[in-house]
Amino acid sequence: MAKQVKLTAERRTATGRSAVRKLKAMGVVPAIIYGAKDKAEPLQVSRRDINAVLSHAAGENILVELEVGGKSRLALVQEVQHAPLGNAILHVDFHAISMDEEIQADVPLEPTGIANGVKNMGGLLEQNLRSLAIECLPRDLPDVITVDVSALNIGDAIHVREIQLPPGVTTRVQPDLNAFSVLAPTVEEEPVVAEVEAAAGPEVIREKKEEPEAAPASGAKEKAAPKEKEQRK
């Protein structure tokens, strides 16, 4: 189940870009808490403290007991905004919750074991769902939902309805959706054109034969005859 951690926060009065820059220089991260019956309230938390909370979390859903002005409020880390460069935390959204009211969350799905179709048949494990939308009380919120895929052969699949959920947890996802499956190995076929060219062999270029010269016209022979007669005289 999700671990509950404590975090100290302060009310934030200054807003705007200049105020955010000042908080950043002081090692403070702006935040906000909303939900339940109270209106949204701007907060600020220590960068060192929020980094510690996020780095030690086992999953994406973190239950936080916020200490604000001497009062304790239970909240869920709803969203964390990071800088594009450096991945520094820019802003944190907290969703106020109650221990006796169900919450909705997306919990990561993780496969365990090695599918038989992958291990012994050369298949490929395909994960179609990376997370599962669930509903539960805060005390039942899991960090992650694990699914044993070791019995899957090629062509087998695990659907949402076949996933064993922790006690007190229900899912809002369609039961017929495919969560995990094992695909058959793909075989690459060699191009047919290359095979045909190889079978035909190299092209042979034959030398062109010279055509025989044309015989002289009959008129030329008749003209040469009188000269021969004159030479005999």
Side-chain angles (χ1 to χ4, degrees):
M1 300 303 167
K3 184 179 180 180
Q4 185 174 324
V5 296
K6 292 184 177 182
L7 180 65
T8 302
E10 297 178 359
R11 291 184 175 89
R12 175 167 54 94
T13 57
T15 58
R17 294 183 178 179
S18 59
V20 171
R21 285 195 294 267
K22 290 180 181 179
L23 291 176
K24 182 178 179 180
M26 297 167 56
V28 177
V29 176
I32 191 171
I33 185 170
Y34 54 85
K37 299 179 181 180
D38 300 331
K39 64 178 183 179
E41 182 180 3
L43 302 174
Q44 60 188 47
V45 295
S46 165
R47 178 177 291 107
R48 181 185 61 184
D49 292 345
I50 190 64
N51 278 332
V53 169
L54 297 177
S55 61
H56 290 89
E60 298 178 357
N61 300 294
I62 307 170
L63 287 175
V64 178
E65 184 181 344
L66 280 175
E67 294 286 344
V68 184
K71 295 182 179 181
S72 178
R73 302 182 66 180
L74 185 63
L76 185 68
V77 177
Q78 190 73 25
E79 183 179 0
V80 180
Q81 298 178 14
H82 295 271
L85 299 177
N87 205 35
I89 299 175
L90 300 178
H91 193 276
V92 182
D93 288 9
F94 295 102
H95 184 200
I97 59 176
S98 175
M99 288 298 294
D100 56 357
E101 293 182 1
E102 286 193 339
I103 59 175
Q104 297 180 351
D106 290 335
V107 179
L109 276 180
E110 289 186 2
T112 60
I114 302 177
N116 184 60
V118 174
K119 185 177 181 181
N120 298 317
M121 305 176 188
L124 177 66
L125 179 67
E126 183 178 47
Q127 182 172 353
N128 300 302
L129 292 179
R130 297 291 174 180
S131 62
L132 199 63
I134 65 164
E135 290 181 342
C136 64
L137 292 174
R139 63 173 177 270
D140 297 325
L141 179 65
D143 289 322
V144 65
I145 296 176
T146 58
V147 181
D148 186 6
V149 299
S150 57
L152 292 181
N153 294 312
I154 291 178
D156 292 344
I158 296 177
H159 300 87
V160 172
R161 64 176 178 271
E162 299 167 325
I163 297 176
Q164 186 175 358
L165 299 174
V169 177
T170 58
T171 180
R172 299 181 287 116
V173 180
Q174 295 180 2
D176 293 334
L177 285 182
N178 189 339
F180 298 92
S181 59
V182 176
L183 305 179
T186 57
V187 179
E188 296 183 359
E189 296 183 358
E190 297 182 359
V192 178
V193 177
E195 295 180 357
V196 172
E197 291 180 352
E203 182 182 357
V204 178
I205 302 176
R206 300 181 181 278
E207 184 178 357
K208 185 178 180 182
K209 295 183 178 181
E210 296 183 0
E211 297 181 359
E213 296 182 0
S218 58
K221 292 182 178 180
E222 293 176 355
K223 291 181 180 180
K227 292 183 180 180
E228 293 178 358
K229 293 179 178 179
E230 292 178 356
Q231 291 177 359
R232 292 175 183 176
K233 295 179 178 180

